[in-house]
Amino acid sequence: MRTGVHRPTGGAALPAPLTERLAAMAAPCPMHPSMYQIEAAVIEWSRGVGLEADPGAGAHLLAGRAFARYGMGTATLFARWLIWTSRFREKPSAFAGVLAVAGGGEPGPPLERAFADLWRVCAPGMGDGWRERFLAGLAAQHAALLDTVAPSAEDYPPLGRARFGRCLFDLVEPCTGVEVPAPVRESAQWRAVVEASADVAVWCDDLASGRGYVATAPVPRGEAAEQWVIDRVVARMEELWTAARAIPVVVERHGLDFAASREVIQVACAFLTIPRAYLEWLLESPRYRHLR
């Protein structure tokens, strides 16, 4: 018998101005058929490494939506990383120890032990470029979390991505078992897909929580800041879909075979799904019941 399990509410209501202007954010995401097994596996793992996972946090719900069409292992691994990254945001001082573990050092506290376990699963199957990219993103997050200066509207997007965890989006590849070939990954279209997906998640977090730009913007403030964020979400979703539609052409240009092309396009589809999955997860969380 499951106890203390947070179950889906059957669809959280989204901010009306957002759904009115953006159909892609109004349609609910499908849920992974093994959601409860994923939940149990994530809680068991979290307790095993000493992270004391809160069942109500619902990492399995976000992962289950973002990777509904993948195997249970993919969604479970991503949910474990979600637990870990949320703890890292709370304790960025752990960065030095985590970096040492990535370099082969022995893990100490639970956050390091959890990272070591995840790193052993993901890093060996990925190239040096991915490992460097992930650790650079983690370093950028560490620096951004310590930065208390309120940014301008022009400076906020990259800073918001860094604080949120740009490295989280790099985890889509090892979780799906696909390393996007460098020529595709370095294309303007692929960078636009990843950055737009991350931006929409960041802006939705700000909108749902009242934190981030909504709270710190020099101008605009209050409802004007919220409207500015909604405008930003709408624009970035349009840019995300435009960039994603160009990925098959990029893949063809670089001569990938059918199997490799299919894998890359599936990864791009995951980036299309993550923003809506993240917003549903936010609004389903007990922390944001006031928004329903």
Side-chain angles (χ1 to χ4, degrees):
M1 179 182 294
R2 291 184 295 268
T3 59
V5 175
H6 178 66
R7 294 177 173 81
T9 60
L14 301 183
L18 193 56
T19 56
E20 287 168 2
R21 296 182 56 192
L22 198 61
M25 297 295 277
C29 291
M31 179 61 75
H32 200 286
S34 301
M35 181 189 68
Y36 290 120
Q37 292 94 317
I38 294 168
E39 177 188 37
V42 169
I43 293 173
E44 181 181 10
W45 172 83
S46 301
R47 290 172 177 168
V49 296
L51 290 185
E52 300 179 358
D54 172 15
H60 64 291
L61 298 174
L62 172 52
R65 287 187 173 102
F67 297 99
R69 294 180 175 86
Y70 283 83
M72 178 179 162
T74 292
T76 301
L77 181 57
F78 193 73
R80 288 171 177 168
W81 273 113
L82 287 171
I83 295 290
W84 186 87
T85 54
S86 69
R87 298 296 186 273
F88 180 75
R89 290 192 197 101
E90 296 167 359
K91 194 176 180 181
S93 60
F95 174 68
V98 168
L99 196 62
V101 170
E106 286 296 319
L111 200 61
E112 293 178 16
R113 293 201 302 273
F115 177 81
D117 185 73
L118 294 168
W119 193 246
R120 280 194 297 267
V121 173
C122 292
M126 306 299 288
D128 291 340
W130 179 87
R131 288 190 286 271
E132 292 173 2
R133 180 161 38 100
F134 175 83
L135 293 174
L138 200 61
Q141 184 180 23
H142 172 250
L145 289 170
L146 299 179
D147 187 353
T148 59
V149 177
S152 66
E154 292 75 19
D155 294 336
Y156 185 73
L159 180 62
R161 285 196 298 270
R163 285 179 180 168
F164 184 82
R166 168 63 177 78
C167 56
L168 185 62
F169 291 81
D170 290 323
L171 292 168
V172 172
E173 291 173 78
C175 287
T176 57
V178 175
E179 185 164 7
V180 177
V184 175
R185 189 182 66 247
E186 294 166 2
S187 68
Q189 294 87 347
W190 189 266
R191 288 198 303 272
V193 166
V194 177
E195 290 184 359
S197 183
D199 279 352
V200 172
V202 171
W203 295 118
C204 286
D205 186 75
D206 289 356
L207 192 63
S209 67
R211 297 191 299 261
Y213 191 83
V214 171
T216 63
V219 287
R221 295 180 184 276
E223 291 184 6
E226 291 183 1
Q227 187 57 52
W228 192 89
V229 169
I230 290 172
D231 290 344
R232 180 71 183 179
V233 169
V234 171
R236 289 303 269 158
M237 277 300 293
E238 291 174 353
E239 292 162 4
L240 171 58
W241 279 94
T242 298
R245 282 193 288 267
I247 294 301
V249 176
V250 175
V251 167
E252 183 178 2
R253 182 188 308 146
H254 292 291
L256 273 63
D257 61 27
F258 176 79
S261 299
R262 184 173 181 272
E263 289 180 339
V264 168
I265 290 171
Q266 284 180 330
V267 173
C269 288
F271 284 115
L272 286 174
T273 305
I274 286 172
R276 169 67 210 202
Y278 185 74
L279 185 56
E280 281 193 46
W281 175 68
L282 277 174
L283 297 175
E284 196 170 63
S285 168
R287 292 176 295 172
Y288 306 123
R289 282 188 179 136
H290 63 285
L291 293 171
R292 293 179 190 171

